[in-house]
Amino acid sequence: MNALRNIIRAAPLARTFNSRNNAFLRPLSTVSITPIPKPVEAVSNTVELDKLYKRVELEMRGIDPAVLLSYSWFCVAAASHLGIEVTKSWAQRKADKERHTLLKCVHIYKKHKVQYEIRTYFRFIHLQRLTGSTCDTFLEYIERNLPEGCALKITKIECQKIPEHLTSPSK
């Protein structure tokens, strides 16, 4: 044990030795590290324009209509805080029902059947006139807060320039 303590005292990085846990406590490094400057690249004169979306359609699907309604309220409130124009927000009147019929017993008794039903509820929100950065921020926020049992489908309608081969010839 004495030989170990002599080695510890001689080591420049070791500060104390804890004999209970056999652990070394070392001081933090006092060496300052200077970052290497990055070379400055030539700045191009081309400016990348932000995308413009005429309309963004959100389709929400879920198995619980109350959760879906609450989430649609959340999406509309988040859109209003970001200054996004919500043109429509509605739900389908009836749920989409998917039925599966199974036999209770595999081998016999075909008259004994069980029927299972899955109901899917839908809600829709239409957003109008968005920029690309605002759209990305909003969609990231609502996707991160998507509740369990819900799905979200996003359709974007982008505004683009008319191609030159389609423009009318100038006189």
Side-chain angles (χ1 to χ4, degrees):
M1 192 69 168
N2 287 336
L4 182 61
R5 287 193 181 189
N6 289 337
I7 293 173
I8 293 170
R9 288 184 190 143
L13 292 177
R15 185 179 236 183
T16 58
F17 176 74
N18 188 351
S19 60
R20 289 182 188 161
N21 299 339
N22 293 335
F24 291 94
L25 300 176
R26 296 184 178 177
L28 294 174
S29 175
T30 57
V31 178
S32 62
I33 299 172
T34 57
I36 300 171
K38 293 181 179 178
V40 178
E41 296 178 9
V43 179
S44 62
N45 292 335
T46 59
V47 177
E48 188 174 326
L49 298 175
D50 206 3
K51 291 182 179 180
L52 295 176
Y53 295 107
K54 181 179 179 181
R55 185 170 61 219
V56 176
E57 301 169 356
L58 304 176
E59 179 187 322
M60 295 169 268
R61 297 178 181 202
I63 56 174
D64 189 4
V67 172
L68 211 55
L69 177 64
S70 173
Y71 183 64
S72 69
W73 285 347
F74 167 77
C75 291
V76 170
S80 67
H81 285 297
L82 287 173
I84 298 171
E85 183 182 347
V86 178
T87 54
K88 288 184 181 180
S89 177
W90 80 95
Q92 284 184 345
R93 287 189 163 205
K94 294 182 178 179
D96 189 29
K97 296 176 185 175
E98 184 180 336
R99 291 189 178 111
H100 298 282
T101 306
L102 300 173
L103 294 174
K104 281 186 178 180
C105 182
V106 180
H107 305 292
I108 54 173
Y109 306 119
K110 289 201 175 189
K111 62 183 178 180
H112 299 286
K113 296 181 180 182
V114 179
Q115 205 170 43
Y116 295 99
E117 181 178 277
I118 300 170
R119 294 183 184 183
T120 306
Y121 297 90
F122 293 88
R123 289 197 74 86
F124 300 93
I125 297 176
H126 283 191
L127 309 170
Q128 198 110 1
R129 293 188 282 278
L130 285 153
T131 61
S133 57
T134 306
C135 182
D136 292 341
T137 304
F138 174 70
L139 294 178
E140 171 101 15
Y141 181 61
I142 65 170
E143 284 173 4
R144 286 180 183 254
N145 292 301
L146 188 66
E148 290 182 16
C150 292
L152 182 65
K153 179 182 173 185
I154 301 163
T155 306
K156 299 177 187 177
I157 300 172
E158 184 180 350
C159 296
Q160 292 183 345
K161 283 185 175 181
I162 297 176
E164 290 186 20
H165 68 276
L166 295 179
T167 58
S168 61
S170 58
K171 294 181 180 181

